[in-house]
Amino acid sequence: MAYEENGALQSLLAARGVTRRDFLKWCGSTAALLGMAESFAPQIAAAVEGAVLQPQAPALWINGGACTGCTESMAQVDTPDVATIVLDLLSVNYFETIMMAQGEDAEAAKADLVAKGGYVCIYEGTVMTGFEGNALRVAGKPQVEELPEVFENAAAIVAVGSCAVDGGWVAANPNPAGGIGVLEFCKEHNIETPVVNLPTCPVNPEWVVAMVIDVLYLGALEDLSVLDLDEFNRPKGIFGQTIHDNCSRRGHFENGEFVTEFGSVEEAKGYCLYAVGCKGPQTFTNCPIVRWNGRASWCVESGAPCIGCGSANPLEAGGNWVDVNAPFLNRHRDIHVGDWVTQPTVVGAAVGAAAVAALAVHGVGMKAAGRMDGGAPYEEMKERDAKKGGGK
Amino acid sequence: MAHPAHYREAHPMVFVLTHWINLISMVSLAFSGFYIHYPFFSGFMGVARGMHFFFMYVLVVNLTFRIIAAFFVKSAVVNGSRQQDTDIKNWLPQEANRGQMIPWLKYYLFLKKDHPLGAKYGVLQKIAYIATVPLTYVMMWTGFSLYGPYMNHPWFESSLALVGGPMNMRIIHYFMMWVFIIFTAIHAYLANVEGFAPSRLIFAWKESEGLEFDPKTGKVVGGKGH
């Protein structure tokens, strides 16, 4: 790469107070995040530096049934850090929450890009199919009417946040708005655009940056295997290990030092939150490593048990993280038997106690029947043989 | 009152040992499993997990050995007789079990006065015992699916996806433990409710006098209490 080409990015970074050293450090951590060796850092640097001279890659940020929490998470970077600059490389032609354009102009910009195709579609929020699509109306018509074209013409879809992945909390029981994830919507409409799922509530901006780099600059569009996605279309590098595996409180877990009550001495000591329902052992994200809010901290480090917002099951109704993990302070999810909502512990103990009680009652019967001392006398022959008229 | 004689030929020494190993393993697994489910006292999680993994390996190896041994070791064909045949034959359904399911149910529900005849094991007993074999292996499978070093293996990853994620797998694993607990309760009850001769034999390998049975017809032919 020619020096002056590098210079273009350098001046852009310098204008924002980012040194070349900071930039290369960031490239190294992005390589780690993508599950690559740090030796890939120069390649990432080259890709980003090259991209800055290219026409900006077009992108659409589409909001479904969303609380805008993911937008908020992306916007939380309060100083323009390297990640922000890289995201500036994306030309986001439509972004409801923060775009300048309004009304028909904004819709026209979106329609133009959709007609042209080849953009990255970042989808935030739940796909709302309820009430014949009227659960979410955009620009005067149900959003689900425009989505097939938006998804079909995209080069790739990045589903950000658990809502976009599998409906998230919007789709939690009883799901009146008919919320589903992007992947399921695409499947229903036979859309084959690649979908990258980035669950958690909200999404971690570092992951979005990593995926944008992957999709736009490292050739993931030509060869999807670069993304190394799991069965739920999540990048394995980010969603491959449990929170429990990398947790800073793991030592306390192994020692058997637990918080059983909030406000206790154990809590003050920073003991393990397993006994107050931490879902870290079954939630696959790298939160403890990447952390949140400019890498300041993350849920468990700040004292809250993991509530499993990174659980995802994009193609199964009821697989959203709320149905799977609520109540958050219990070890197990609730189970529904008809209208009856209860905990597995209660069911197990009740069935076990019923079995023991039945045996006790039976024992009383055996005693009354005089069978306790050796059982009843044996039959002469099997009943079926007796019916046949002989035991020969 | 009448109880079959219990001779050592019914449970050769090797099976007395495997039964002991099963008992110790299952009690340890249930206890450590309850602790892992919810740590009801402090300072034990590392040990509980170690116990849980160790005893499951023991249980599975023991079960596999027990199944292979059934093809080579002989055991008594019926209680109250010393005549033996290959052990596996006494486990699988036999001619002597034919038509006896309903009589057994009726006997246990007090609708039938006489003790049904049968082979070494009755119909319900065989169903319960044989069911524990696949149940144990399924329990192992669900456990590995939840166990850090193995959960990323494609086999277990796809099992997790099949049941809808690790939370559901955890609950299946938990409920299956109750199945084993209930099995054990019924097993211990039925084995001992008519007298403790079976326990004396399987735990201490001590014989008890009682009714003699003819291995050919399965009928009572003599012995103490005839």
Side-chain angles (χ1 to χ4, degrees), chain B residues 57-70 137 140:
Chain B
Y57 286 119
V58 170
L59 186 69
V60 168
V61 169
N62 190 50
L63 172 65
T64 309
F65 169 78
R66 176 68 182 81
I67 292 169
I68 295 168
Y137 288 119
M140 174 193 74

Side-chain angles (χ1 to χ4, degrees), chain A residues 230-232 236 239-242 244-245 250 252-260 274-276 279 281-284 313 316 319 324-325 330-335 343-353 355-356 359-366 369-384 391-392, chain B residues 1-4 35-39 41-47 49 94-100 102-103 106-118 145-146 148 151-152 154 157-168 170-171 174-175 178 181-182 185-187 189-190 192-195 211 213 218-220:
Chain A
D230 69 10
E231 303 197 30
F232 296 150
K236 282 184 192 163
F239 300 97
Q241 292 182 16
T242 63
H244 193 55
D245 286 339
R250 180 62 186 260
H252 292 302
F253 173 83
E254 295 295 342
N255 290 348
E257 296 166 334
F258 298 101
V259 177
T260 52
Y274 184 79
V276 282
K279 303 300 188 295
Q282 58 246 25
T283 306
F284 292 78
N313 202 350
E316 192 186 287
V324 166
N325 292 308
N330 282 12
R331 288 273 308 111
H332 282 164
R333 66 179 289 177
D334 277 338
I335 49 175
Q343 279 274 299
T345 314
V346 176
V347 176
V351 173
V356 171
L359 291 180
V361 171
H362 195 264
V364 172
M366 291 294 269
R371 292 177 183 174
M372 283 243 181
D373 184 23
Y378 278 81
E379 58 189 3
E380 284 293 314
M381 63 180 76
K382 286 187 188 177
E383 284 185 9
R384 63 183 313 205
K392 289 160 200 166
Chain B
M1 301 257 80
H3 203 49
Y35 185 88
I36 294 166
H37 168 64
Y38 188 88
F41 59 96
S42 64
F44 196 64
M45 184 57 86
V47 180
R49 279 163 49 88
Q94 288 164 304
E95 182 57 35
N97 297 120
R98 195 182 286 273
Q100 288 297 75
I102 305 287
K106 277 161 65 185
Y107 176 71
Y108 283 132
L109 294 174
F110 304 106
L111 300 172
K112 174 179 167 64
K113 256 180 127 175
D114 294 338
H115 207 297
L117 292 172
S145 303
L146 295 168
M151 67 203 310
N152 289 108
E157 223 167 46
S158 54
S159 308
L160 284 175
L162 182 74
V163 302
M167 175 58 88
N168 290 354
R170 205 168 281 273
I171 292 171
Y174 178 76
F175 278 154
W178 278 105
I181 290 174
I182 291 168
I186 296 173
H187 171 58
Y189 168 80
L190 288 180
N192 294 300
V193 70
E194 295 179 355
L211 295 174
F213 283 73
K219 291 176 186 170
V220 183

Side-chain angles (χ1 to χ4, degrees), chain A residues 32-53:
Chain A
L33 195 55
L34 293 171
M36 299 166 170
E38 205 154 337
S39 55
F40 275 86
Q43 242 171 293
I44 291 173
V48 173
E49 284 163 350
V52 84
L53 288 187

Side-chain angles (χ1 to χ4, degrees), chain B:
Chain B
M1 301 257 80
H3 203 49
H6 281 71
Y7 298 138
R8 287 179 174 177
E9 283 75 2
H11 299 308
M13 191 46 157
V14 57
F15 295 150
V16 171
L17 287 175
T18 55
H19 185 265
W20 265 112
I21 293 169
N22 277 338
L23 176 70
I24 294 167
S25 301
M26 286 196 184
V27 169
S28 307
L29 282 163
F31 173 74
S32 56
F34 267 120
Y35 185 88
I36 294 166
H37 168 64
Y38 188 88
F40 40 88
F41 59 96
S42 64
F44 196 64
M45 184 57 86
V47 180
R49 279 163 49 88
M51 270 174 81
H52 207 68
F53 307 142
F54 174 76
F55 281 109
M56 195 60 192
Y57 286 119
V58 170
L59 186 69
V60 168
V61 169
N62 190 50
L63 172 65
T64 309
F65 169 78
R66 176 68 182 81
I67 292 169
I68 295 168
F71 290 89
F72 298 101
V73 179
K74 287 177 185 293
S75 64
V77 295
V78 66
N79 288 320
S81 167
R82 293 187 189 273
Q83 189 182 318
Q84 291 182 315
D85 200 353
T86 310
D87 186 52
I88 189 71
K89 290 186 187 163
N90 294 323
W91 283 93
L92 299 176
Q94 288 164 304
E95 182 57 35
N97 297 120
R98 195 182 286 273
Q100 288 297 75
M101 173 118 146
I102 305 287
W104 272 113
L105 282 171
K106 277 161 65 185
Y107 176 71
Y108 283 132
L109 294 174
F110 304 106
L111 300 172
K112 174 179 167 64
K113 256 180 127 175
D114 294 338
H115 207 297
L117 292 172
K120 183 181 176 189
Y121 299 125
V123 180
L124 303 173
Q125 208 173 0
K126 279 186 181 176
I127 292 172
Y129 289 0
I130 292 170
T132 59
V133 175
L135 273 177
T136 305
Y137 288 119
V138 171
M139 198 64 169
M140 174 193 74
W141 193 272
T142 59
F144 273 129
S145 303
L146 295 168
Y147 182 26
Y150 298 94
M151 67 203 310
N152 289 108
H153 189 283
W155 293 349
F156 302 118
E157 223 167 46
S158 54
S159 308
L160 284 175
L162 182 74
V163 302
M167 175 58 88
N168 290 354
M169 190 64 93
R170 205 168 281 273
I171 292 171
I172 291 169
H173 194 73
Y174 178 76
F175 278 154
M176 281 183 65
M177 182 200 57
W178 278 105
V179 172
F180 276 96
I181 290 174
I182 291 168
F183 164 82
T184 308
I186 296 173
H187 171 58
Y189 168 80
L190 288 180
N192 294 300
V193 70
E194 295 179 355
F196 289 101
S199 284
R200 276 195 294 273
L201 182 61
I202 196 69
F203 291 123
W205 215 35
K206 279 196 176 139
E207 299 197 340
S208 305
E209 289 301 313
L211 295 174
E212 294 277 352
F213 283 73
D214 176 3
K216 276 215 182 78
T217 63
K219 291 176 186 170
V220 183
V221 288
K224 194 182 156 200
H226 183 54

